[in-house]
Amino acid sequence: VVQVLGIDSAEILKAVEEVPVLSDSASQLLMLASREDQSLLELEKVVEKDVNLTSQIFKVVNSAAFGLMTPVKTLGRGINYLGVRNVVGLALQMSVGSVYNGRLMGYESEPGELWNHCLQTAIAAREIAKCSKTKLNTDTAYAAGLLHDIGKAVISQFLFGTAQDILASIEHTESVDYLMKEEEITGTNHSKLGFELSKRWNLPQDFAQAILHHHHPDQAPDEFKAIAYIVHLADFVAMMVGSMTSSDAMLYQLDEGYREYIDFDELGLERVMSETCLEFRQIHDSLSSVRD
Ligand SMILES: [Fe+2]
Ligand SMILES: [Fe+2]
């Protein structure tokens, strides 16, 4: 039986405040990614103010793993090759990598698991967004995927030692929902804490709402339902193709309502899964080849 540990909500909110803030470049790039379209020039202007990000972009596109025949010498071409989505990913890794890369003790997962899961969700969300019935920028979907589980980095410490009890208690219940168990133990959950963090990070509403509603997209305000459902489905794709070492893997309800927002026949879930695996391997190799 899961015991309520009586965690002070002030203590949890304090933990949100202790999370590092985004760099200016990461913040501005996310802002651009949330817009319907953005020009290369705008991206370049943001990136060139961040020396570390600029040099990292050159390192990635010119790495052996990226596989270009001729070296890239201008920032514009570098950004072009990577795409908005990967520039955002790099900026997040460089500014709040410590949030993503640590070991989540509360979920008994491996170090780096949160980042890998968010990256897989992002790739899947972009694929799914291509079949969205309402017009939706695929880079917005990607960035929302990257951010969706960020609250886990905050709640993890308060879930320490609870995973086995949660799994045992879920075995005896009919409706599987890890989120509810988090709520029972801490009085909050990783979606809500991610939403708190999105305020601290000044994230655009698309991302804040996708984070808050990614497990129950039917509860999102109408104008954010499409993005919430896309991230919701992408999360499942990521859990299906991922390493599943996290204690909550697949222990959520799938809301079939996504069919209202996504042209499911055109989508082809099998294809999304294999695309996700493929792109994940490519970008993960490129990124890790420059990290050390
Ligand atoms: Fe989640
Ligand atoms: Fe997730």
Side-chain angles (χ1 to χ4, degrees), residues 8-58:
D8 193 351
S9 62
E11 209 183 311
I12 296 180
L13 288 178
K14 201 175 136 245
V16 173
E17 278 159 30
E18 280 164 4
V19 176
V21 288
L22 291 175
S23 63
D24 287 345
S25 55
S27 179
Q28 287 164 20
L29 285 166
L30 283 168
M31 212 71 91
L32 286 178
S34 76
R35 285 192 357 215
E36 219 150 88
D37 53 78
Q38 58 287 119
S39 71
L40 190 58
L41 200 68
E42 281 177 299
L43 287 162
E44 235 184 292
K45 271 190 179 158
V46 170
V47 173
E48 69 189 5
K49 276 187 250 161
D50 186 332
V51 184
N52 292 331
L53 180 58
T54 302
S55 76
Q56 198 69 10
I57 286 173
F58 281 119

Side-chain angles (χ1 to χ4, degrees), residues 104-118:
L104 298 185
M105 302 298 271
Y107 295 91
E108 300 188 345
S109 65
E110 299 297 318
E113 171 91 6
L114 178 62
W115 174 254
N116 289 348
H117 170 68
C118 286

Side-chain angles (χ1 to χ4, degrees), residues 8 12 30 36-37 59 84 90 94 111-112 136 141 156 159 164 171 216 236 240 267 272 283:
D8 193 351
I12 296 180
L30 283 168
E36 219 150 88
D37 53 78
K59 270 192 206 159
V84 188
L90 267 181
M94 295 189 69
L136 204 141
S156 173
L159 294 173
Q164 292 314 315
E171 235 171 76
H216 296 286
F236 269 82
M240 286 191 282
L267 181 71
V272 174
I283 194 62

Side-chain angles (χ1 to χ4, degrees), residues 148-149 152 190-191 214-215 235 248 252:
H148 83 286
D149 266 342
K152 282 187 179 178
H190 73 267
S191 303
H214 73 273
H215 287 297
D235 186 30
D248 64 329
Y252 297 98

